Structure formats: structure tokens, C-alpha cells
Amino acid sequence: MKEIMNQEQISRTIKRMTHEIIEKNSNLESIVLLGILKKGYPLAKILQKNLKDFAGITVDTYPIDIKAYRDDLDTHINKVNQGFNLDKKTVIIVDDVLFTGRTVRAAMDAINNHGRPEKIELAILIDRGHRELPIRADFIGKNIPTSSKEKVIVDLEKQLVTIDE
Ligand code: 5GP
Ligand code: MG
């Protein structure tokens, strides 16, 4: 187990991502944060708090369950996501780790059932590479090149990112 980020680094990184979100989006009022369950949602809540602290706005923040939209998981679970409307919104998908990109693709499918956003952006704490789809993040905490066998462990409660070889 190798430590990648400690508490202070995680906190500083998420603050920097918040500033990048503010810089990139002229219309902060239209932002909706969608945290992919389970680990993306706590990250989205931290971004929401930072946006309140740094820009004085409270953006709508929802958890989103994408299991039913994955094309590579044999599951018939169809948890209904909260009835939010994303018409004309700037939707920021938030997740802890970006890997093949299939989860994010599924999230975009799920979003389709909630109206037509003005644009969709992607915020990721750890990009570990190995993409299988043409997907990239707009806001990246840290790039960590991994082997496919390695696993990045993101613990937002203990505020620690480690890598398990
Ligand atoms: P993808 O769909 O891009 O292949 O994988 C991303 C999803 O799987 C994310 O929701 C993420 O939580 C999870 N994931 C993939 N690889 C890792 C990893 O190394 N560590 C953690 N914590 N989650 C991962
Ligand atoms: Mg996940």
C-alpha cells in the first residue's frame, strides 16, 4: 500500500478543482453537480461546499446511480434516480476515479432521461488511465498512471488516497 495523497493534499486538490470550475463556468447559477454513487457523491458534496465558500452560491447536488445503464454489467437493478430536471443546466458529473470511462458513459445515458443539459462536464479526483472510450475529464485532481491490476483506494472519510499493488 503506497500513499498517494494525504489529507492536506486532497483538500488542496479539491479546492483547486473548485477554482477551476468557477473559472471555466461564467454562469455558476446553472451548475448541477451529479455525484456517481457511491464514492462520487461525497466528493460532489465537498465541491458544493467549496463553491458556497468561494463563490457564495449553493448549487443543486444529487447522487446518481448508474448501475442500470452499464453495458458491461449483467444487472437488472433499476434504482430510480431522484426526479431532477437538467434542462439547460450545466451538469458536472463527479466521480472519485476515472478508469475505462464506461461509468461516465453510463452516467451520460442516465442524464438523457432528465432533460437536455446546456453542457456536461466531468470532474474526477483520480485519473488512473486505461480508457476504453473517447472520454476525458475537464477537472482532474491528479493523474496516477496505474497497471490494470493496481487499485486506487480513495477514502474521503480518512482523507487518504493510496494505491494497492
Ligand atoms: P470505469 O467505469 O471508468 O472503468 O471505472 C470508474 C468507476 O469504477 C468509478 O466509479 C470508480 O469508483 C471505480 N473504479 C475504477 N477503478 C478504480 C480504482 O482503482 N479505485 C477506485 N476506488 N475506484 C475505481
Ligand atoms: Mg464508483
Side-chain angles (χ1 to χ4, degrees):
M1 200 103 101
K2 190 167 111 218
E3 187 181 299
I4 301 290
M5 293 171 100
N6 61 26
Q7 179 168 1
E8 205 221 310
Q9 289 164 321
I10 294 173
S11 161
R12 196 160 6 99
T13 296
I14 300 175
K15 283 180 183 152
R16 194 244 310 143
M17 292 170 74
T18 310
H19 287 297
E20 288 173 357
I21 289 171
I22 293 168
E23 194 169 33
K24 179 156 178 170
N25 291 288
S26 46
N27 188 5
L28 296 176
E29 266 80 29
S30 72
I31 291 177
V32 176
L33 300 174
L34 289 187
I36 297 178
L37 289 174
K38 297 189 165 162
K39 292 286 186 71
Y41 185 57
L43 179 60
K45 294 300 285 183
I46 299 173
L47 289 169
Q48 182 193 39
K49 181 178 184 303
N50 287 353
L51 282 167
K52 174 96 176 91
D53 292 347
F54 302 164
I57 51 147
T58 305
V59 300
D60 289 341
T61 302
Y62 304 104
I64 183 164
D65 190 303
I66 54 84
K67 279 190 221 75
Y69 297 87
R70 285 279 296 229
D71 55 12
D72 57 343
L73 294 182
D74 184 20
T75 169
H76 299 284
I77 302 165
N78 196 357
K79 273 199 216 154
V80 177
N81 293 306
Q82 268 173 267
F84 41 78
N85 189 295
L86 301 174
D87 268 334
K88 300 191 175 63
K89 297 291 188 181
T90 296
V91 174
I92 305 182
I93 299 171
V94 182
D95 208 357
D96 60 339
V97 176
L98 180 58
F99 182 44
T100 65
R102 289 180 191 276
T103 298
V104 170
R105 191 212 58 79
M108 289 192 275
D109 256 14
I111 287 168
N112 270 335
N113 295 332
H114 296 268
R116 187 183 183 283
E118 173 85 23
K119 59 179 169 177
I120 301 177
E121 295 171 348
L122 177 61
I124 292 285
L125 186 61
I126 305 290
D127 184 345
R128 56 169 291 204
H130 302 278
R131 216 76 78 241
E132 294 172 2
L133 294 171
I135 283 174
R136 47 125 195 101
D138 299 275
F139 312 104
I140 301 170
K142 195 175 170 65
N143 285 292
I144 301 178
T146 57
S147 77
S148 7
K149 274 178 264 166
E150 284 169 329
K151 188 136 175 73
V152 179
I153 298 158
V154 179
D155 192 330
L156 284 176
E157 266 158 38
K158 288 199 197 112
Q159 297 250 320
L160 214 58
V161 177
T162 49
I163 189 157
D164 209 358
E165 285 132 310

